Short mmCIF file of all heavy atoms in Angstrom, two decimals:
data_model
loop_
_atom_site.label_atom_id
_atom_site.label_comp_id
_atom_site.label_asym_id
_atom_site.label_seq_id
_atom_site.Cartn_x
_atom_site.Cartn_y
_atom_site.Cartn_z
N PHE A 76 24.83 -50.60 101.87
CA PHE A 76 23.64 -50.32 102.73
C PHE A 76 23.31 -51.51 103.68
O PHE A 76 23.72 -52.69 103.18
CB PHE A 76 22.44 -50.10 101.77
CG PHE A 76 22.51 -48.82 100.99
CD1 PHE A 76 23.15 -49.01 99.74
CD2 PHE A 76 22.01 -47.69 101.40
CE1 PHE A 76 23.24 -47.93 98.89
CE2 PHE A 76 22.10 -46.62 100.52
CZ PHE A 76 22.76 -46.65 99.31
N VAL A 77 22.84 -51.34 104.83
CA VAL A 77 22.49 -52.43 105.72
C VAL A 77 21.22 -52.13 106.42
O VAL A 77 20.83 -50.88 106.58
CB VAL A 77 23.60 -52.67 106.77
CG1 VAL A 77 24.91 -53.19 106.11
CG2 VAL A 77 23.81 -51.49 107.64
N VAL A 78 20.56 -53.11 107.00
CA VAL A 78 19.33 -52.92 107.90
C VAL A 78 19.95 -52.46 109.14
O VAL A 78 20.88 -53.12 109.65
CB VAL A 78 18.63 -54.18 107.95
CG1 VAL A 78 17.41 -54.05 108.94
CG2 VAL A 78 18.11 -54.65 106.64
N PRO A 79 19.46 -51.55 109.89
CA PRO A 79 19.91 -51.22 111.24
C PRO A 79 19.98 -52.35 112.23
O PRO A 79 19.18 -53.23 112.10
CB PRO A 79 18.90 -50.14 111.69
CG PRO A 79 18.38 -49.53 110.45
CD PRO A 79 18.30 -50.67 109.53
N SER A 80 20.79 -52.19 113.19
CA SER A 80 20.92 -53.33 114.18
C SER A 80 20.07 -53.09 115.36
O SER A 80 19.62 -51.97 115.64
CB SER A 80 22.44 -53.52 114.52
OG SER A 80 22.74 -52.35 115.34
N PHE A 81 19.95 -54.10 116.14
CA PHE A 81 19.17 -54.14 117.43
C PHE A 81 19.83 -53.13 118.36
O PHE A 81 19.17 -52.53 119.12
CB PHE A 81 19.16 -55.48 118.07
CG PHE A 81 18.19 -56.43 117.50
CD1 PHE A 81 18.61 -57.77 117.37
CD2 PHE A 81 16.86 -56.09 117.10
CE1 PHE A 81 17.70 -58.74 116.75
CE2 PHE A 81 16.06 -57.05 116.48
CZ PHE A 81 16.44 -58.35 116.40
N SER A 82 21.16 -53.09 118.32
CA SER A 82 21.89 -52.44 119.33
C SER A 82 22.16 -50.92 119.07
O SER A 82 22.72 -50.18 119.80
CB SER A 82 23.28 -53.05 119.60
OG SER A 82 24.02 -53.10 118.37
N ASP A 83 21.60 -50.55 117.87
CA ASP A 83 21.83 -49.09 117.42
C ASP A 83 21.20 -48.20 118.52
O ASP A 83 20.11 -48.27 118.87
CB ASP A 83 21.14 -48.81 116.12
CG ASP A 83 21.60 -47.61 115.42
OD1 ASP A 83 21.69 -46.61 116.14
OD2 ASP A 83 22.00 -47.65 114.26
N HIS A 84 22.08 -47.24 118.89
CA HIS A 84 21.70 -46.29 119.93
C HIS A 84 20.57 -45.38 119.55
O HIS A 84 19.96 -44.69 120.44
CB HIS A 84 23.01 -45.44 120.45
CG HIS A 84 22.75 -44.68 121.54
ND1 HIS A 84 22.36 -45.23 122.89
CD2 HIS A 84 22.81 -43.30 121.91
CE1 HIS A 84 22.24 -44.37 123.79
NE2 HIS A 84 22.45 -43.15 123.17
N ARG A 85 20.38 -45.27 118.20
CA ARG A 85 19.27 -44.39 117.82
C ARG A 85 18.02 -44.65 118.35
O ARG A 85 17.13 -43.73 118.60
CB ARG A 85 19.21 -44.35 116.31
CG ARG A 85 18.34 -45.39 115.65
CD ARG A 85 18.28 -45.40 114.17
NE ARG A 85 19.53 -45.93 113.63
CZ ARG A 85 19.71 -45.99 112.40
NH1 ARG A 85 18.84 -45.79 111.47
NH2 ARG A 85 20.83 -46.48 111.99
N TRP A 86 17.71 -45.96 118.66
CA TRP A 86 16.34 -46.33 119.07
C TRP A 86 16.16 -45.76 120.49
O TRP A 86 15.05 -45.31 120.87
CB TRP A 86 16.22 -47.78 119.20
CG TRP A 86 16.61 -48.52 117.90
CD1 TRP A 86 17.48 -49.52 117.73
CD2 TRP A 86 16.19 -48.24 116.52
NE1 TRP A 86 17.62 -49.92 116.43
CE2 TRP A 86 16.84 -49.14 115.68
CE3 TRP A 86 15.21 -47.20 116.03
CZ2 TRP A 86 16.58 -49.16 114.29
CZ3 TRP A 86 14.99 -47.28 114.66
CH2 TRP A 86 15.64 -48.16 113.84
N GLN A 87 17.20 -45.74 121.39
CA GLN A 87 17.06 -45.22 122.67
C GLN A 87 16.93 -43.57 122.55
O GLN A 87 16.24 -42.90 123.40
CB GLN A 87 18.32 -45.57 123.48
CG GLN A 87 18.35 -47.13 123.70
CD GLN A 87 17.09 -47.80 124.14
OE1 GLN A 87 16.48 -47.21 125.01
NE2 GLN A 87 16.77 -48.89 123.60
N GLU A 88 17.67 -42.99 121.63
CA GLU A 88 17.58 -41.54 121.49
C GLU A 88 16.18 -41.19 120.97
O GLU A 88 15.62 -40.10 121.54
CB GLU A 88 18.66 -41.03 120.48
CG GLU A 88 20.00 -41.26 120.90
CD GLU A 88 21.01 -40.93 119.86
OE1 GLU A 88 20.76 -40.91 118.67
OE2 GLU A 88 22.29 -40.73 120.15
N ILE A 89 15.54 -41.86 120.13
CA ILE A 89 14.23 -41.61 119.64
C ILE A 89 13.24 -41.82 120.78
O ILE A 89 12.38 -40.98 120.99
CB ILE A 89 13.89 -42.56 118.47
CG1 ILE A 89 14.66 -42.18 117.23
CG2 ILE A 89 12.36 -42.33 118.13
CD1 ILE A 89 14.59 -43.11 116.12
N ALA A 90 13.41 -42.88 121.58
CA ALA A 90 12.59 -43.09 122.67
C ALA A 90 12.69 -41.97 123.65
O ALA A 90 11.63 -41.55 124.24
CB ALA A 90 12.88 -44.45 123.36
N GLU A 91 13.92 -41.49 123.94
CA GLU A 91 14.07 -40.49 124.89
C GLU A 91 13.31 -39.13 124.36
O GLU A 91 12.63 -38.40 125.18
CB GLU A 91 15.56 -40.19 125.04
CG GLU A 91 15.78 -38.94 126.16
CD GLU A 91 17.25 -38.73 126.26
OE1 GLU A 91 17.96 -38.56 125.24
OE2 GLU A 91 17.73 -38.83 127.45
N ALA A 92 13.44 -38.90 123.12
CA ALA A 92 12.82 -37.75 122.44
C ALA A 92 11.24 -37.85 122.61
O ALA A 92 10.54 -36.92 123.01
CB ALA A 92 13.12 -37.59 121.06
N ARG A 93 10.75 -39.12 122.43
CA ARG A 93 9.30 -39.28 122.53
C ARG A 93 8.85 -39.16 123.87
O ARG A 93 7.79 -38.45 124.23
CB ARG A 93 8.89 -40.68 121.99
CG ARG A 93 9.05 -40.81 120.41
CD ARG A 93 8.43 -42.05 119.89
NE ARG A 93 7.10 -41.98 120.07
CZ ARG A 93 6.29 -43.09 119.95
NH1 ARG A 93 6.81 -44.30 119.79
NH2 ARG A 93 4.96 -43.04 120.13
N ARG A 94 9.56 -39.57 124.87
CA ARG A 94 9.11 -39.50 126.31
C ARG A 94 9.24 -38.12 126.74
O ARG A 94 8.58 -37.74 127.68
CB ARG A 94 10.12 -40.37 127.15
CG ARG A 94 9.83 -41.92 127.11
CD ARG A 94 10.45 -42.59 128.19
NE ARG A 94 11.89 -42.50 128.25
CZ ARG A 94 12.88 -43.31 127.65
NH1 ARG A 94 12.32 -44.27 126.96
NH2 ARG A 94 14.10 -42.98 127.80
N THR A 95 9.99 -37.26 126.07
CA THR A 95 10.15 -35.88 126.54
C THR A 95 8.99 -35.06 125.96
O THR A 95 8.52 -34.19 126.59
CB THR A 95 11.57 -35.36 126.11
OG1 THR A 95 12.63 -36.13 126.65
CG2 THR A 95 11.70 -33.84 126.45
N ILE A 96 8.73 -35.34 124.70
CA ILE A 96 7.77 -34.46 123.96
C ILE A 96 6.36 -34.82 124.08
O ILE A 96 5.44 -34.02 124.43
CB ILE A 96 8.19 -34.44 122.42
CG1 ILE A 96 9.53 -33.77 122.34
CG2 ILE A 96 7.06 -33.80 121.61
CD1 ILE A 96 10.08 -33.98 120.91
N GLU A 97 6.01 -36.15 123.94
CA GLU A 97 4.64 -36.64 123.81
C GLU A 97 3.82 -36.41 125.12
O GLU A 97 2.56 -36.02 125.02
CB GLU A 97 4.60 -38.00 123.26
CG GLU A 97 4.99 -38.17 121.79
CD GLU A 97 4.83 -39.58 121.22
OE1 GLU A 97 3.98 -40.29 121.66
OE2 GLU A 97 5.81 -39.86 120.35
#
Side-chain angles (χ1 to χ4, degrees):
F76 299 86
V77 297
V78 179
S80 67
F81 284 136
S82 60
D83 196 311
H84 189 59
R85 87 182 71 177
W86 310 128
Q87 301 308 317
E88 292 174 342
I89 293 170
E91 181 179 56
R93 292 188 65 195
R94 286 195 301 267
T95 301
I96 295 171
E97 290 181 35

